[in-house]
Amino acid sequence: DNCLVKLPDTLGTLTNLEHLNLSFNRLERLPDALGMLQDLNALLLAHNRLQKLPKSVGKLCEVQVLHASHNRLSDLPDNLTQMRRLRELYLADNAFKQVPDVFTRLVRLRAADLSGNPLSRLPAAGLDRMVALRELQLNRCASLTSLPDELASLPQLRQLHAEYSAVAHLPDLSTVANT
């Protein structure tokens, strides 16, 4: 592990930064100045102690990959929908007891990893809007006992992972496009 526990507000002056990897540190919070990194396309925050992401993260319109696995997150800012280029969202091994409402509004997501969270269910409402989703990982979700039928409405879904979960019933996925 690295030893960063705090980031300076001056981080926002690095306006040409395209890739920021702060993984494997001891960060408990991120400065609002993070939202000033308008050219950022990858934000890697895995293996920290983050309990929440600042609302300013939603201003990172160019970010395609947000990796915040292995933290202490239990919710996401509603304005994450402003991250119009977000394609990959990794939130494994956090403290999500339910999937955040904003998740199903991230309609351009291609890959999502919610593995290892204490989820009891995957929301049915709005799931059909996630038409670009190709990969969904729900491994090690010990409280997740079923998956919603709406998964069958995801035309691009190619990979569904639910290893070591409590899922005892799969929906009828025969209507998922085979193209």
Side-chain angles (χ1 to χ4, degrees):
D1 281 359
N2 296 313
C3 297
L4 281 176
V5 294
K6 185 178 180 189
L7 297 173
D9 286 332
T10 54
L11 178 70
T13 63
L14 301 172
T15 55
N16 292 324
L17 200 61
E18 294 179 357
H19 187 98
L20 180 59
N21 188 344
L22 296 167
S23 298
F24 294 96
N25 276 289
R26 299 176 186 166
L27 297 170
E28 293 183 8
R29 61 176 293 278
L30 299 171
D32 287 333
L34 187 68
M36 297 171 63
L37 304 177
Q38 295 299 302
D39 287 342
L40 203 63
N41 59 50
L43 179 57
L44 310 177
L45 302 167
H47 296 273
N48 276 288
R49 300 174 181 172
L50 299 171
Q51 293 184 3
K52 69 179 188 172
L53 297 178
K55 195 171 179 119
S56 64
V57 167
K59 296 178 183 176
L60 301 174
C61 299
E62 297 299 315
V63 167
Q64 296 179 36
V65 177
L66 175 55
H67 196 315
S69 294
H70 301 276
N71 277 286
R72 299 172 182 169
L73 300 173
S74 60
D75 204 2
L76 295 174
D78 282 338
N79 69 342
L80 230 56
T81 56
Q82 294 174 12
M83 299 175 79
R84 303 250 183 249
R85 293 188 182 267
L86 188 62
R87 301 296 182 264
E88 299 175 25
L89 181 60
Y90 301 100
L91 298 170
D93 298 300
N94 274 287
F96 293 101
K97 291 181 180 171
Q98 61 185 23
V99 176
D101 292 338
V102 70
F103 180 77
T104 57
R105 294 192 317 247
L106 299 172
V107 297
R108 292 176 184 88
L109 271 188
R110 292 183 187 153
D113 187 354
L114 296 167
S115 299
N117 281 289
L119 299 172
S120 58
R121 66 180 191 84
L122 197 61
L127 198 60
D128 58 336
R129 292 185 296 224
M130 302 185 77
V131 295
L133 195 64
R134 296 179 63 85
E135 179 180 356
L136 179 59
Q137 294 195 37
L138 299 165
N139 304 315
R140 297 176 286 102
C141 292
S143 299
L144 189 64
T145 57
S146 65
L147 298 174
D149 292 337
E150 286 74 9
L151 278 177
S153 67
L154 300 177
Q156 298 297 319
L157 190 64
R158 297 296 180 264
Q159 296 182 44
L160 176 61
H161 300 269
E163 296 100 9
Y164 301 104
S165 69
V167 174
H169 171 74
L170 288 176
D172 179 6
L173 299 173
S174 63
T175 58
V176 175
N178 291 321
T179 58

